[in-house]
Amino acid sequence: MRYLLFLWALLLANLSVQAQDFTEFEDVMNAMGVNLEDVVITSQEIAPGVHVLFGSGGNILASIGEQGTLLVDSQYAQLYEKIQRKLRELGSNGVNFTINSHFHFDHAFGNPLLVDDGAWIITHANARRSMAGEHRIDMVAMAYTQPPYPKGAMPVITYDDHMQFHFNGETLDLMHFSPAHTTGDTAIYFRNANIVHMGDVFNASYPFIDTGNGGDIDGMIEFCQGVLNLIDPSAAVLPGHGPVLAYRDLEDFVNMLVTVRDRIGLLIDAGSTLEEVIAAQPTREFDERYGDPARLINRAYMSLSR
């Protein structure tokens, strides 16, 4: 059994070396086993006029009211018509503003079509900088070289640390605390509806730390704790992927990250290789809840070794 575990550890350690690189979006979707034609967009009402839209890619949070429609994230361009159809069912007459939680393709590739239909894009200043260039996103098992966003679809409003937005009678806090999932993450707190969209800084499963684009496990902990300090303990917490969760779930997530960070950090200080860190199973008591730890361990090791 020990030998089998060691072989498994070696396999995981070499995933980043063996990772297949993709430059075409369709190839990435095929590798992930995602057929966007089969995706059905569903919704969940959080408060009057505030809905979560689930599909493929990052969760969308929508405010629909007298002033129009505001979205957080836009998923994929291939799902644009399905998303618009669902929004119309919920009372929307077109999207006016879209806030991007970060620059990754699964959260913002719908932007160009939204801009073509008159929407304005808002995001953190670092996310806009990332959108302007080509970036390789190393997901360990595979990597995607994401192209620049079209110039005409770039965000027109950016911020650095905190920004408030008032729309449809709702007060939205846009918050950035540190590099976390990327260097340009935004958490968006709908104060009246009492729900915060975390982007991919928080997920229902183990997180992906995009270390190649400035992601950082220490920063992810700082970012999540900053959100916890500012939102109401009764708030709903929307992860980038997965169902609507609660304040306690975000607390548990932070505690998990701290434990895993500290364990990996001690192993690195002792001179352990990535293979040895994987074999030590630093996530062992959390795997049942959060799933396969391979990517987190790999990226956390890279983050702490820098």
Side-chain angles (χ1 to χ4, degrees):
M1 178 60 72
R2 283 179 175 271
Y3 179 69
L4 290 175
L5 286 173
F6 181 70
L7 288 178
W8 175 80
L10 285 176
L11 173 64
L12 292 180
N14 288 319
L15 278 176
S16 60
V17 177
Q18 299 173 352
Q20 187 170 359
D21 274 270
F22 297 103
T23 57
E24 298 298 327
F25 173 79
E26 292 76 11
D27 293 337
V28 175
M29 292 293 99
N30 290 335
M32 294 171 63
V34 177
N35 184 347
L36 294 177
E37 292 183 1
D38 295 338
V39 172
V40 176
I41 305 298
T42 61
S43 65
Q44 176 182 343
E45 187 174 49
I46 301 300
V50 178
H51 307 264
V52 179
L53 273 62
F54 304 99
S56 181
N59 291 329
I60 293 173
L61 190 55
S63 170
I64 302 171
E66 291 184 0
Q67 287 183 281
T69 299
L70 177 147
L71 302 183
V72 178
D73 286 342
S74 61
Q75 294 189 10
Y76 302 115
Q78 291 82 349
L79 298 177
Y80 184 76
E81 290 303 326
K82 293 181 181 181
I83 293 168
Q84 293 304 308
R85 187 158 54 246
K86 174 58 68 173
L87 290 171
R88 287 193 293 270
E89 290 176 10
L90 298 172
S92 173
N93 290 314
V95 178
N96 305 90
F97 297 97
T98 298
I99 302 167
N100 288 145
S101 63
H102 60 293
F103 81 98
H104 283 163
F105 62 101
D106 57 326
H107 288 255
F109 261 18
N111 284 9
L113 294 176
L114 286 164
V115 169
D116 286 346
D117 283 348
W120 288 25
I121 309 297
I122 306 164
T123 196
H124 187 267
N126 287 343
R128 189 184 194 280
R129 293 185 190 103
S130 295
M131 288 176 174
E134 179 180 275
H135 292 272
R136 182 177 183 270
I137 302 170
D138 185 351
M139 297 170 277
V140 181
M142 68 184 74
Y144 173 48
T145 300
Q146 180 174 301
Y149 285 70
K151 290 183 179 180
M154 292 288 286
V156 296
I157 300 171
T158 63
Y159 77 102
D160 292 318
D161 299 312
H162 182 262
M163 172 181 175
Q164 274 201 333
F165 203 88
H166 303 274
F167 193 74
N168 286 336
E170 179 69 68
T171 297
L172 289 78
D173 285 292
L174 282 64
M175 302 175 287
H176 173 84
F177 298 94
S178 57
H181 174 58
T182 67
T183 60
D185 301 295
T186 296
I188 304 94
Y189 183 32
F190 286 55
R191 285 187 174 271
N192 297 345
N194 201 23
I195 182 171
V196 60
H197 191 311
M198 292 293 295
D200 279 352
V201 177
F202 169 57
N203 277 305
S205 58
Y206 282 123
F208 166 46
I209 304 167
D210 187 359
T211 55
N213 292 295
D216 182 83
I217 189 169
D218 287 323
M220 185 170 279
I221 293 166
E222 179 183 346
F223 194 111
C224 290
Q225 191 59 58
V227 171
L228 286 169
N229 292 343
L230 289 178
I231 66 174
D232 191 276
S234 65
V237 181
L238 182 63
H241 302 264
V244 178
L245 297 172
Y247 187 96
R248 179 58 185 271
D249 295 304
L250 184 54
E251 285 185 316
D252 291 346
F253 184 80
V254 171
N255 291 334
M256 176 274 293
L257 286 177
V258 169
T259 300
V260 173
R261 186 270 315 272
D262 290 350
R263 286 175 179 169
I264 294 176
L266 287 172
L267 289 165
I268 290 173
D269 289 344
S272 298
T273 64
L274 175 57
E275 292 90 341
E276 291 168 335
V277 170
I278 293 170
Q281 298 180 290
T283 64
R284 48 193 173 273
E285 71 266 41
F286 305 111
D287 293 348
E288 183 175 355
R289 177 171 183 176
Y290 294 106
D292 185 349
R295 187 166 64 178
L296 171 62
I297 295 173
N298 183 294
R299 295 294 89 184
Y301 183 91
M302 298 304 169
S303 173
L304 294 168
S305 297
R306 283 190 296 213

